[in-house]
Amino acid sequence: MTDNDGAPEASGRIRTGDMSGTMVVGSGNTVNNLRITAEYGSTVTVERGPLPAPVMRRPISHLPRSAAEPLIGRARDVVVLQDAIETRQLVQIWGAAGVGKSALLRHLACELPRGPEGVAHVEAGGRTADDLAQAIFDISFDAPNYKPSPEVLKEHLKTLRLRIYLDDAGLDEKDLRRLFDMASQSTFVFTSQARSAVDGVHAIRLEGLTAPAAAELVTALLARELRPGEATTVAALCDAVDGNPLRLRRIALSASTGKGLPGIDDLPELLPALLNRLRPRERDLLHLLGSLSGAELAARHLHDLLGGPDIDTIAEGLVRHGLLLSSETGYSCPPDVAEAVLNSRRTEFPADQLCRAFTVWVEAGDTTPDDVAAHFRALDVAVLRAERSGHAQLGVELARVASPKLALSRQFDAWGSLLGVGWAAARTAGDEESEEFFQREARTRRRAIGRVAQTTALVLEAEVLWHELTALHAQSAAHQVAGHAVAHQVAGGAATAVAPPVATAPVQTVAPGASAHGAVHAQPVAHSTATSATSATSTTQASAHVARPVVDLSGGSAQPHVAVNVAGTHPAAPTPPRIDLSTGHGGTTTSVGSTGHAGSAAGGVAVTKGGATGLALACALGLAAVVGVGAVVQANDQSNSSPAVVSSSVSTPNLSDDTVPAYDTSTADTSPSVDPVCASGIPELMPGMRQFGADADIVSAAVDSYNSDMAAYNSGEASTTPDDSTLLSGIGTVISDLDSVESTLQGAISQAQDSSVESDLDDMLTAIQEIQGLYQSFENDLESDPGGGSEIDTSTQASALSSAAAALQTDCGA
């Protein structure tokens, strides 16, 4: 590795590894062969013919490693959970951080009976539903280098009867439902901090240890019996920390240093006191892992970055005493420990060292694609931090060498995230060749997976987009705020809690609010950020709002934007967006055979014909589309500005390989003659249209599921009539979404000053009302005659909506 701060070598080309390979990405009878090389990236060749035939492994067994310590104080919890798992299909273990959810889940996976076809334990932290589904497929089937389309993937997963244990499943409700539906015959047991609201989930809260169990744990950690009076102290301390095993381990560490058990009054300062008593190498290890925002490193990384033959022994000792966490992947730092360490050091582990070490590791011949995928969060953090700290070119090099192996891991959402942060680093470094590389890879990724990247609301919804694309998927908001505050402190400023971002000009899409996922990207911005009224609180408090960077490829700035809310200021009025909505293609009709079931009348099917949905219109109005999963493109390939719209049961847009909807500020007419509603009314339509698109996708999935169930009933495979409640509920939600859009359009019409603009909005309103009427008729037909068959065809209304949007674009001067 050179010491030229990541600048390209004499050849002018960033060094890359020699990893290459071919992967089959199947959809219907189309075989996409994805050829991947380290130097030139990936290419797709399309063929017609049969897809690979995966063979189920027998038995299926993917178990966690054996626990180093016995499970203490959880005998009753094991009995309760065993009973739940044997009688329920979806079981959640939820509770506070450090309460022992992961340890209990590993114990259950190893000790409880397996499912009819086996067991799979999966580390879910930071992974999307699609990547988790692919991981379950890879565990269960022998199908080398094959990534099925979502439809084919579901067909395979729904045949499985596994017990699937998901640790740290931080998915939202929609993604959890989709994952559960894909493997509908398997039992899921999953952990997370918040209780799930998904229907059918049996949620069991894991409480802290009882006083006797706490005494047993402290005794085991001290390797001696408790002295007179210590049992009473341990009981009081147990009560004070709610029996949290992680905090009890720290209490035992305090006693083992010769200071004796702490008092209750000592607990607030216990962690800093413990850190001060650690040896230098222990503090160095915590500093390294605390700088990674919760991402994990394997023992090999610790050796590479810190050296010394005993570093993994040191890590295990810190795990034993509650200062580190361990998983199947490696070691990570709890948020409170990370905050304390970074506050004491007032600096983060050098990003250039991270990038250089990771680059060497990725290029090594014995580093497999699965190894790279297991640590994608650490790679993303390294690239982001390199960009932030003036070593952007090192981040570019790391992202480029990691891209081929991450692609070959078949974890395409993780791959997309890396492409996004790699592009941002290349943008900051002024490396145009690498910018083009990441954009080309993202387009190839989209081409390989067909409509996958466009079938959910993450295409435009900045909140969901960040949830899916962030480099730090699974970290809590509290940790994000703490890390951001520490970054400001390290730079010499006061800790500042970032307020929720506000909507600005359309060329910069920002999240309307934060979820418990995502990273604070501390890229410097030109303007200062004022501390909000609530920011004076401790950085350990969880914030519901975190500023999210959204990558802007419009070319106007060398730096990616970070949107923040500046107190007392207001964004400039947005300029009118360019609208580009393709006419909906003719829809496809979904149908099943009508063979009667056991002499009964044949069941009907729900049939939909798609035109353009709200998501398609949102694509036109929202100015942005996803380049792979990892960046938002604003104005690049201009050769063909009209995205194609591909129909499904409820259609969603499918952007062509080389084009995206764009807003070009150089051609927009911002003169006073433009109706002001162009700047204000159109952005107000966005939230409702996004929500409509997302909920329409849910209805589409519900239609497919209902038709599949009806087919099973008609063929005699199922004995009960399909339940249409989910489908009806989804339709009701879509109708409600359309109500909201209708109201917004009516408001825009009332504000319009130009007669042409008003006419365009009227035409859009008419189309929306007609689409709503079709959904209502669809709903009424299902309610009145569930077995009679129903149909909805919105293609005509979609065409009218497209024409009205195109006219509005012209009349708004874009």
Side-chain angles (χ1 to χ4, degrees), residues 448-465:
I449 60 180
R451 67 182 180 87
V452 175
Q454 286 82 39
T455 55
T456 70
L458 69 85
V459 173
L460 290 171
E461 179 60 66
E463 177 65 20
V464 181
L465 179 70

Side-chain angles (χ1 to χ4, degrees), residues 342-492:
L342 294 179
N343 274 329
S344 65
R345 290 275 182 120
R346 303 187 66 80
T347 184
E348 294 177 300
F349 192 88
D352 56 335
Q353 292 185 37
L354 289 174
C355 286
R356 290 188 174 99
F358 286 153
T359 299
V360 171
W361 169 70
V362 170
E363 287 184 313
D366 61 345
T367 301
T368 68
D370 287 344
D371 293 334
V372 177
H375 293 91
F376 81 94
R377 285 187 291 173
L379 299 178
D380 284 345
V381 172
V383 175
L384 282 168
R385 288 203 44 232
E387 179 200 359
R388 187 183 71 195
S389 62
H391 301 284
Q393 195 66 44
L394 284 174
V396 171
E397 180 175 358
L398 172 58
R400 288 196 63 164
V401 300
S403 177
K405 286 189 177 180
L406 197 49
L408 289 170
S409 75
R410 301 172 301 285
Q411 298 285 289
F412 268 27
D413 285 352
W415 181 29
S417 179
L418 182 77
L419 294 177
V421 296
W423 174 87
R427 183 82 165 180
T428 298
D431 185 347
E432 294 182 0
E433 189 271 336
S434 290
E435 281 188 67
E436 293 174 0
F437 172 87
F438 292 120
Q439 293 178 41
R440 185 172 65 249
E441 288 300 274
R443 287 195 296 269
T444 303
R445 176 186 170 280
R446 288 207 324 278
R447 186 182 302 122
I449 60 180
R451 67 182 180 87
V452 175
Q454 286 82 39
T455 55
T456 70
L458 69 85
V459 173
L460 290 171
E461 179 60 66
E463 177 65 20
V464 181
L465 179 70
W466 186 255
H467 167 72
E468 294 290 332
L469 311 187
T470 178
L472 306 179
H473 292 268
Q475 307 316 309
S476 68
H479 193 189
Q480 298 156 15
V481 175
H484 188 63
V486 169
H488 281 281
Q489 289 176 331
V490 168

Side-chain angles (χ1 to χ4, degrees), residues 83-414:
D83 178 68
I85 293 168
E86 289 174 352
T87 57
R88 309 274 187 153
Q89 190 174 8
L90 305 174
V91 179
Q92 181 197 26
I93 306 170
W94 69 283
V99 79
K101 301 182 295 294
S102 297
L104 180 56
L105 191 76
R106 286 195 291 265
H107 176 86
L108 295 173
C110 293
E111 300 299 327
L112 293 192
R114 303 181 178 188
E117 291 171 340
V119 60
H121 177 275
V122 182
E123 295 281 358
R127 298 165 89 171
T128 65
D130 289 330
D131 280 359
L132 286 173
Q134 181 68 40
I136 294 170
F137 174 83
D138 292 337
I139 289 169
S140 305
F141 293 93
D142 185 12
N145 301 321
Y146 177 37
K147 182 176 180 62
S149 67
E151 296 82 4
V152 175
L153 183 61
K154 181 177 179 179
E155 288 300 311
H156 287 299
L157 295 186
K158 74 179 184 181
T159 66
L160 299 174
R161 294 177 297 161
L162 296 175
R163 281 191 177 171
I164 301 172
Y165 296 88
L166 300 178
D167 193 18
D168 191 19
L171 302 174
D172 62 20
E173 293 178 22
K174 183 192 304 182
D175 286 337
L176 276 175
R177 289 191 189 98
R178 186 158 59 89
L179 182 61
F180 297 156
D181 181 61
M182 293 181 78
S184 56
Q185 294 192 73
S186 292
T187 296
F188 283 87
V189 187
F190 65 103
T191 67
S192 54
Q193 289 191 33
R195 179 170 184 163
S196 173
V198 175
D199 294 339
V201 170
H202 184 64
I204 297 175
R205 182 172 185 174
L206 187 62
E207 304 285 356
L209 298 178
T210 63
E216 183 180 354
L217 175 61
V218 172
T219 297
L221 292 169
L222 292 176
R224 63 170 176 79
E225 293 297 323
L226 294 179
R227 296 168 183 148
E230 285 186 330
T232 302
T233 303
V234 168
L237 290 168
C238 177
D239 184 64
V241 300
D242 296 322
N244 188 291
L246 197 70
R247 299 188 66 184
L248 287 169
R249 288 178 177 275
R250 297 171 186 173
I251 288 170
L253 174 60
S254 176
S256 68
T257 61
K259 299 287 186 178
L261 290 169
I264 293 178
D265 292 340
D266 299 325
L267 291 178
E269 299 300 323
L270 178 62
L271 183 55
L274 291 176
L275 297 179
N276 288 335
R277 298 175 199 166
L278 295 178
R279 293 171 294 171
R281 282 176 56 76
E282 292 173 323
R283 288 198 293 269
D284 289 344
L285 178 53
L286 292 180
H287 180 230
L288 166 61
L289 290 171
S291 300
L292 292 175
S293 299
E296 297 171 330
L297 294 183
R300 173 172 177 173
H301 301 137
L302 305 183
H303 282 281
D304 293 343
L305 288 161
L306 296 177
D310 60 341
I311 196 67
D312 47 349
T313 302
I314 294 174
E316 285 298 328
L318 293 173
V319 169
R320 180 175 173 81
H321 292 295
L323 298 177
L324 284 183
L325 303 174
S326 67
S327 69
E328 304 305 297
T329 304
Y331 303 95
S332 63
C333 195
D336 60 340
V337 176
E339 181 186 2
V341 169
L342 294 179
N343 274 329
S344 65
R345 290 275 182 120
R346 303 187 66 80
T347 184
E348 294 177 300
F349 192 88
D352 56 335
Q353 292 185 37
L354 289 174
C355 286
R356 290 188 174 99
F358 286 153
T359 299
V360 171
W361 169 70
V362 170
E363 287 184 313
D366 61 345
T367 301
T368 68
D370 287 344
D371 293 334
V372 177
H375 293 91
F376 81 94
R377 285 187 291 173
L379 299 178
D380 284 345
V381 172
V383 175
L384 282 168
R385 288 203 44 232
E387 179 200 359
R388 187 183 71 195
S389 62
H391 301 284
Q393 195 66 44
L394 284 174
V396 171
E397 180 175 358
L398 172 58
R400 288 196 63 164
V401 300
S403 177
K405 286 189 177 180
L406 197 49
L408 289 170
S409 75
R410 301 172 301 285
Q411 298 285 289
F412 268 27
D413 285 352

